[in-house]
């Protein structure tokens, strides 16, 4: 009887699951092959664009460029702390106008994957949680905890109800085809055990119970309860399988690069490896790929998490921080998406047959009953080319690459052969020599908005994250008979802090600075300090650089000076200051006066001309400027400054910290072989971030207010406004490189032999090709910006480009020997490398 009952319960569950999968208003469902939209299985290419990381004026252009790049879906998180900054006080305007963003995606004809979370991670402050949540009585984050679950369900339901009211789910005729609950919870669940498993089960039931009419996803969650689809995040996900055979294979985060941290080098990921990872996933039966990020954007204001996450969230994405195409990555992926879509009928109808083609080579072949056939030929060897036999033909496969054959015969694309142009971007000066005024912030006084307690307070509990800054001040009495006053051996002040940065002032003078890093945010300051006989004032300015965004037990994280604090080298030996009376002041005087705003900036006396503070700590600077002509993206060059924050017309550009130089190893980077975030780095020894994005929509035609708060003592005379534009464009193309056009011409019977590929060059609108910096058909070496001739070079390589391209916005040249004056080295595989200057 027991076994029959178990069987009956199992059948009932399967029946319910089947009904759920097949009956979602006949709109969005899934099976083992793919997401099914309106009855059709789809190979879906998606890209992450986070609406608060750009301005609403940028959204239409970003979405259109994503569509032009071959995307079907835009994926975004929902940022709880942006939408509910205070309990029950909601904000859905400006950069947080979620409904507007989704409607723009719909207008472009694309779908949406809405990751409600509401935990997002995303290198975003406090992982997207509002800091007030930490102070809900009895709360324990992301576990089987009633106060947390009540708050999470309330916000999740708020967002779902909002989407339903606007009819934005696909089941209502809207663009949202998928939603995500929680985010990368599997590792946390593993760490905390049974309460984590109970929470996962609750979150799944809660989400499904909201009745959106579209499937829900949990990423990095191997035990995602039915009918939730579990999905993969990572640099590679070909190894991944969903937890049930009837669920599709989804990759919610294909990492296009990595984030930048202050003090870290800037990571980048070669386009060839990213394309290889996606082709590898698709050939193994993957049907949904999302690029994280497709446009990374900017951590405006104090939204960056970490701590120590930079203001730029560029992520080496196909669209750069400013919304411009990152070439060749954007173009190479666009070509990949076109090749995959040619294979779609076979991919969604058949399981792959795997054939070995060699020790490190294999074919994945998709054949349908109706005769469609697509093949992926892979060479996993990262060192050498492979010549393989498939069907009745031979194919050359570069190292670490996959060739795509949409008819199982002709190659239209190889992941290591880039047909798209490359571009070298440049920052061009548009405004320098601002006329500055300055105002000096005093170290905190005891009277002004301060309070005094015995002992040291944790910073976030004290500031509630309303400011990065918290003053800790105490008095130290030094007797006239102290030995150090005579022998000159000043005592050592030691301060232990949970992070993230610290400026030490003795009697109003900056005595030293200490700061941590993302990997090690805790700091110890230990320096000799100048004390005098009598009462000395020690003022410690503790600074948060974004709250952590990943890990368990959010409610326990801390920052600020937790001690001990001590003076060593007195007559008495060591004096512990930890349990003295300390005075506290949250934030800066300038913040309280809103010096960054148009109204607040007139509330104090600023000095100018020769009286301006030069390289002084705790200094506010202001100036006005007019918006430059044109529509190129703008940035502030802050390279001459130390650390602080910057505002334009009252809106925060974000934290700047060019004085924190990038550490790391920036060696040459080969695309071949497994990628991780430390493999390919740039900017070593330079500022982790020098330029700070200024959205054009933030500017008025004239009289824009620029305010800078400098903590350390930089030189504002060298701050400048620059525009980002294309400096030069390059092509780097092998003869007989596969192209989609070549395949289409053959497929339609227009040609019988392979066509030669073409090198396409195009500058931005308003620019023209002014000169040819380099051109060589033969065996050139190097990359865009640093090409050089090899041992074989056609001496007429420049001629055709100077004839066809100079003075034009765009041009194309066929890659064949006759064009360059004949074959410079017969029987050798040749390529064309060319770089043209845009101006």
């Amino acid at each position: 009887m027991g076994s029959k009952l178990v069987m009956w319960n199992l059948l009932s569950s399967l029946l319910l699951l089947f009904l759920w999968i097949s009956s979602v208003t006949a709109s969005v469902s899934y099976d083992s092959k793919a997401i099914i939209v309106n009855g059709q299985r789809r190979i879906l290419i998606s890209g992450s664009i986070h609406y608060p990381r750009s301005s609403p004026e940028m959204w239409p252009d970003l979405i259109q460029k994503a569509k032009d790049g071959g995307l079907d879906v835009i994926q975004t998180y929902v940022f709880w702390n942006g939408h509910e900054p205070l309990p029950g006080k909601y904000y859905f305007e400006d950069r947080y106008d979620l409904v507007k963003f989704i409607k723009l995606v719909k207008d472009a004809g694309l779908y949406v994957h809405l990751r409600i979370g509401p935990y997002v991670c995303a290198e975003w402050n406090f992982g997207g949680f509002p800091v007030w949540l930490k102070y809900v009585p009895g709360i324990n984050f992301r576990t089987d905890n009633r106060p947390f679950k009540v708050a999470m369900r309330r916000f999740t339901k708020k967002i779902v109800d909002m989407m339903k009211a606007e009819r934005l789910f696909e089941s209502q005729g809207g663009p949202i085809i998928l939603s995500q609950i929680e985010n990368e919870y599997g590792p946390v669940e593993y760490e905390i055990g049974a309460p984590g498993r109970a929470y996962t089960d609750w979150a799944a039931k809660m989400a499904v119970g909201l009745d959106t009419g579209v499937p829900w996803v949990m990423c990095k969650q191997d035990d995602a309860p039915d009918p939730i689809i579990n999905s993969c995040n990572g640099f590679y996900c070909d190894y991944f399988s969903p937890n049930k055979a009837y669920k599709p294979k989804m990759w919610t985060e294909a990492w296009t690069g990595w984030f930048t941290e202050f003090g870290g080098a800037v990571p980048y990921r070669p386009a060839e490896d990213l394309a290889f990872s996606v082709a590898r996933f698709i050939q193994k039966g993957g049907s949904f790929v999302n690029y994280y990020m497709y446009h990374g954007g900017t951590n405006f204001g104090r939204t960056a998490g970490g701590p120590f996450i930079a203001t730029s969230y560029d992520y080496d994405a196909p669209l750069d921080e400013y919304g411009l195409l990152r070439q060749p990555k954007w173009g190479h992926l666009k070509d990949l998406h076109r090749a995959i879509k040619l294979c779609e009928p076979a991919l969604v109808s058949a399981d792959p047959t795997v054939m070995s083609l060699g020790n490190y080579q294999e074919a994945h072949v998709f054949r349908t009953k109706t005769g469609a056939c697509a093949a992926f030929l892979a060479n996993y060897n990262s060192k050498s080319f492979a010549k393989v036999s498939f069907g009745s033909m031979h194919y050359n496969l570069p190292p670490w690459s996959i060739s795509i054959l949409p008819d199982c015969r002709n190659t239209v694309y190889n992941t290591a052969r880039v047909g798209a142009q490359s571009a070298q971007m440049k920052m061009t000066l548009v405004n320098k020599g601002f006329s500055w005024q300055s105002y000096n912030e005093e170290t905190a006084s005891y009277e002004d908005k301060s309070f005094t307690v015995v002992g040291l307070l944790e910073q976030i509990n004290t500031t509630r994250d309303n400011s990065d800054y918290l003053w800790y001040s105490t008095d130290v009495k030094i007797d006239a008979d102290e030995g150090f006053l005579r022998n000159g051996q000043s005592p050592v002040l030691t301060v232990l802090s949970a992070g993230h940065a610290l400026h030490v002032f003795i009697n109003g003078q900056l005595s030293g600075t200490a700061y941590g890093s993302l990997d090690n945010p805790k700091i110890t300051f230990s320096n000799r300090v100048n004390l005098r006989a009598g009462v000395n004032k020690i003022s410690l300015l503790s600074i948060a650089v974004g709250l952590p965004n990943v890990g368990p037990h959010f409610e326990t994280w801390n920052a600020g000076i937790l001690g001990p604090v001590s003076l060593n080298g007195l007559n008495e030996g060591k004096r512990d200051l930890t349990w003295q009376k300390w005075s506290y002041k949250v934030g800066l005087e300038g913040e309280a006066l809103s010096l960054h705003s148009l109204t607040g900036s007139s509330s104090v006396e600023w000095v100018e001309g020769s009286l301006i503070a030069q390289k002084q700590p705790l200094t506010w600077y202001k100036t006005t400027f007019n918006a430059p002509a044109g529509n190129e993206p703008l940035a502030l060059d802050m390279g001459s400054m130390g650390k602080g924050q910057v505002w334009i017309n009252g809106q925060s550009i974000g934290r700047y910290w060019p004085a924190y130089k990038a550490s790391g190893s920036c060696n040459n980077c080969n695309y071949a072989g497994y990628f991780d975030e430390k493999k390919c780095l740039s900017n070593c020894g330079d500022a982790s971030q020098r330029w700070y994005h200024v959205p054009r929509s933030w500017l008025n035609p004239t009289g824009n207010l620029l305010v800078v708060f400098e903590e350390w003592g930089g030189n504002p005379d060298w701050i400048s406004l620059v525009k980002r534009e294309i400096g030069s464009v390059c092509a780097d193309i092998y003869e007989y490189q596969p192209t989609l056009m070549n395949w289409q011409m053959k497929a339609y019977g227009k040609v019988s032999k392979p066509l030669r590929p073409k090198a396409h060059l195009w500058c931005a609108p308003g620019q023209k090709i002014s000169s040819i910096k380099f051109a060589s058909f033969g065996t050139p070496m190097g990359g865009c910006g640093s090409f050089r001739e090899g041992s074989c070079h056609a001496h007429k390589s420049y001629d055709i480009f100077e004839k066809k391209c100079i003075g034009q916005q765009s041009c194309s040249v066929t890659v064949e020997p006759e064009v360059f004056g004949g074959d410079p080295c017969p029987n050798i595989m040749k390529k064309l490398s060319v770089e043209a200057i845009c101006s």
Side-chain angles (χ1 to χ4, degrees), residues 135 145 171 261 406 438 451 463 471 480 668 674 676 782 786 806 820:
Y135 304 102
N145 170 263
S171 50
E261 63 190 83
S438 72
F451 61 94
T463 65
W471 284 103
N668 278 344
Y674 280 100
D676 64 41
S786 58
I806 289 181
F820 306 105

Side-chain angles (χ1 to χ4, degrees), residues 466-597:
N466 289 314
S467 171
D468 281 356
Y469 303 100
L470 178 63
W471 284 103
Y472 294 69
S473 302
T474 194
D475 286 342
V476 172
K477 190 175 182 192
I478 297 296
D479 292 334
D481 63 352
E482 283 288 350
F484 77 84
L485 294 172
R486 291 187 300 280
N487 66 26
Q489 285 280 43
S490 298
V492 173
L493 176 69
T494 301
V495 182
L496 269 65
S497 168
H500 307 130
L502 173 68
H503 300 309
V504 175
F505 294 86
I506 306 293
N507 299 320
Q509 297 299 306
L510 182 61
S511 185
T513 287
Y515 48 90
S517 64
L518 175 59
D519 291 334
N520 191 10
K522 290 182 166 59
I523 46 182
T524 299
F525 174 89
S526 194
N527 269 24
R528 295 192 180 278
V529 290
N530 291 321
L531 299 177
R532 61 194 179 211
V535 176
N536 294 262
K537 186 179 176 196
I538 296 178
S539 299
L540 308 176
L541 183 59
S542 180
I543 305 152
V545 192
L547 302 189
N549 51 265
V550 64
H553 307 301
F554 273 56
E555 66 283 351
T556 65
W557 296 344
N558 53 32
I561 300 162
L562 303 181
V565 177
S566 62
L567 266 178
N568 222 335
L570 304 176
N571 289 354
E572 70 207 68
K574 180 175 175 181
R575 187 185 300 181
D576 190 346
L577 309 180
T578 308
W579 292 101
Q580 290 201 166
K581 281 187 177 178
W582 287 84
S583 288
Y584 294 89
K585 184 183 172 194
V586 174
L588 304 164
E589 181 191 2
E591 287 180 309
L593 294 170
S594 294
L595 292 188
H596 65 276
S597 69

Side-chain angles (χ1 to χ4, degrees), residues 231-242 248-255 269 273-290 352 354 360 362 364 366 376 378-380 400-402 673-675:
S231 63
C232 184
N233 294 352
F235 290 117
Y236 306 91
C237 277
D238 49 287
Y239 62 86
F240 169 79
S241 294
K249 183 167 170 167
M250 292 180 61
W251 190 0
T252 32
E253 292 186 18
W255 298 331
R269 186 177 188 185
D273 176 66
L274 181 57
F276 174 71
S277 71
V278 172
R280 198 165 167 166
F281 180 73
I282 297 291
Q283 76 174 5
K284 294 275 186 75
S287 59
F288 179 99
V289 178
N290 175 77
V354 184
Y360 298 97
E362 63 183 14
H364 287 75
F366 297 78
F376 291 69
N379 177 15
Y380 303 127
W400 199 252
S401 77
I402 294 174
Y674 280 100
F675 179 85

Side-chain angles (χ1 to χ4, degrees), residues 334-395:
K334 175 180 179 170
D335 292 343
L336 168 67
H337 304 151
R338 291 163 73 185
I340 289 170
K341 291 294 185 176
L342 289 171
C343 305
E344 187 174 32
L347 294 173
V348 299
S349 304
D351 292 320
T353 303
V354 184
M355 301 165 50
S356 174
L357 304 176
N359 288 338
Y360 298 97
Q361 297 78 35
E362 63 183 14
H364 287 75
V365 185
F366 297 78
R367 289 184 195 278
T368 69
K369 291 171 184 170
T370 56
C373 186
F376 291 69
L377 310 186
N379 177 15
Y380 303 127
N381 191 318
S382 62
K383 300 284 192 292
S384 55
F385 278 78
K387 188 170 188 177
V388 300
S389 176
F390 174 72
S392 57
M393 296 173 69
H394 292 280
Y395 299 85

Side-chain angles (χ1 to χ4, degrees), residues 120-181:
V120 301
C121 187
E123 290 72 58
W124 189 263
N125 195 55
F126 213 45
F129 289 127
V131 172
W132 57 258
L133 197 62
K134 188 177 172 183
Y135 304 102
V136 171
I139 199 154
N140 202 334
F141 282 60
R142 300 179 76 202
T143 187
D144 190 19
N145 170 263
R146 189 173 183 279
F148 180 77
K149 292 191 296 184
V150 166
M152 174 171 161
R153 185 185 188 279
R154 183 177 51 76
F155 182 74
T156 304
K157 186 175 185 301
K158 168 84 178 174
I159 297 299
V160 167
D161 288 349
M162 199 174 191
M163 299 302 107
K164 284 182 179 178
E166 298 286 344
R167 304 194 63 75
L168 292 175
F169 287 106
E170 174 70 17
S171 50
Q172 303 171 293
I176 302 171
I177 58 167
L178 294 163
S179 290
Q180 180 179 300
I181 195 69

Side-chain angles (χ1 to χ4, degrees), residues 721-781:
L721 190 67
V722 298
K723 64 180 179 180
R724 186 168 175 83
E725 60 185 351
I726 294 175
S728 66
V729 290
C730 302
D732 194 25
I733 296 183
Y734 287 83
E735 55 178 348
Y736 295 116
Q737 188 165 308
T739 67
L740 187 62
M741 180 62 74
N742 184 345
W743 178 78
Q744 286 174 324
M745 297 284 276
K746 289 176 76 176
Y748 291 117
K750 302 266 179 75
V751 292
S752 55
K753 64 176 198 291
L755 291 172
R756 297 278 189 163
K758 286 186 175 181
H760 298 273
L761 298 173
W762 42 278
C763 297
Q767 287 185 318
K768 289 190 173 164
I769 295 170
S770 57
S771 64
I772 305 301
K773 179 180 172 184
F774 180 89
S776 177
F777 177 71
T779 57
M781 297 179 287

